[in-house]
Amino acid sequence: PDEGPLSGRHLLVTSGPTHEPIDPVRYIANRSSGAQGTAIAVALLRLGARVTFVTGPASAAPPEGAEVVKVETAAEMLAAVEAALPADAAVFAAAVADWRVETAQACKIKKRAGALPGLSLAENPDILARVAGMAVGRPDLVVGFAAETDEVISHATAKRARKGCDWILANDVSPGTGIMGGTENAVTLITAEGAEDWPRMSKRAVAARLADRLAEALGSSGGT
Ligand code: C5P
């Protein structure tokens, strides 16, 4: 719909894992399904936003009606995010690989008895921190996620400060919560004002609530 509290607004969402190549057939990855990021994009579209959805190779089908940009690596994700700006707000829900293989091999690494290939790793760019730290053209609201297993609020509060973002949605991904890869989420919203616990609810409901909060915070004037 082009009617809604976010009509005229451009929202950027990153989602899914990234794949970091080792050679043409192998890669480093993680278990992100892209479910939460996709649900956020859908909720923003429902409120009338124009949504650019930058996604790594995810199992979830990308949201209909978004401008979908498919990437593989963290470096590609950063480039796609920069190309998609300006945006009124950006939500970084992707599980970006922390490391890439420094020099991916052009040919498949051969298996040789008794010899293990050495993989030397390099740090990936922190896309959220980059965008949050932009001196010019920074979105009005920059939102990140923090998946924690302990001391959720203090770790996420520190992460918010370190990354320079406005909001962090912190979730407890301890084994036993069933959150990683599941359909439900239990989050705490960390803002400059403090921490706000949301009850455990579906990832879709988390997305709807976040979209409402973004619409409220962006207000009804302007737009990128
Ligand atoms: O540092 P950590 O990975 O825990 O931070 C998680 C948040 O930062 C998420 O919002 C994630 O999308 C974002 N992130 C990013 N680029 C990275 C690492 C994390 O955008 N290289």
Side-chain angles (χ1 to χ4, degrees):
D2 30 36
E3 297 283 303
L6 286 175
S7 64
R9 299 291 192 179
H10 179 214
L11 277 281
L12 171 66
V13 179
T14 72
S15 185
T18 64
H19 285 183
E20 309 296 332
I22 296 170
D23 67 18
V25 300
R26 306 182 178 98
Y27 55 83
I28 297 175
N30 63 66
R31 294 187 193 283
S32 166
S33 64
Q36 187 64 82
T38 302
I40 290 166
V42 168
L44 294 168
L45 286 160
R46 283 217 181 100
L47 297 188
R50 178 167 77 83
V51 175
T52 303
F53 185 74
V54 179
T55 180
S59 49
E64 239 170 87
E67 168 143 354
V68 178
V69 185
K70 292 187 176 174
V71 300
E72 295 268 331
T73 66
E76 288 168 10
M77 186 172 276
L78 174 62
V81 162
E82 285 174 338
L85 294 174
D88 295 290
V91 180
F92 294 87
V96 182
D98 292 310
W99 311 285
R100 66 178 179 276
V101 176
E102 199 165 32
T103 318
Q105 297 302 304
C107 296
K108 186 183 170 194
I109 300 169
K110 295 284 179 289
K111 185 165 64 177
R112 284 189 290 125
L116 297 174
L119 291 182
S120 138
L121 301 179
E123 207 168 311
N124 268 334
D126 190 319
I127 304 166
L128 167 63
R130 285 275 184 104
V131 172
M134 285 174 65
V136 181
R138 182 190 189 278
D140 289 340
L141 268 168
V142 177
V143 183
F145 276 80
E148 308 285 351
T149 55
D150 60 293
E151 313 236 23
V152 175
I153 293 179
S154 62
H155 284 156
T157 301
K159 186 166 292 183
R160 178 183 168 277
R162 196 166 63 239
K163 302 234 184 197
C165 59
D166 302 295
W167 297 354
I168 285 262
L169 276 177
N171 50 1
D172 185 348
V173 292
S174 308
T177 60
I179 283 171
M180 199 83 182
T183 59
E184 291 195 330
N185 208 346
V187 308
T188 302
L189 175 65
I190 316 268
T191 70
E193 275 73 54
E196 180 186 309
D197 281 320
W198 293 1
R200 188 174 173 126
M201 58 180 100
S202 69
K203 289 183 178 176
R204 231 189 289 177
V206 168
R209 192 154 168 172
L210 174 64
D212 285 340
R213 292 296 286 267
L214 283 166
E216 193 185 306
L218 289 172
S220 55
S221 63
T224 297

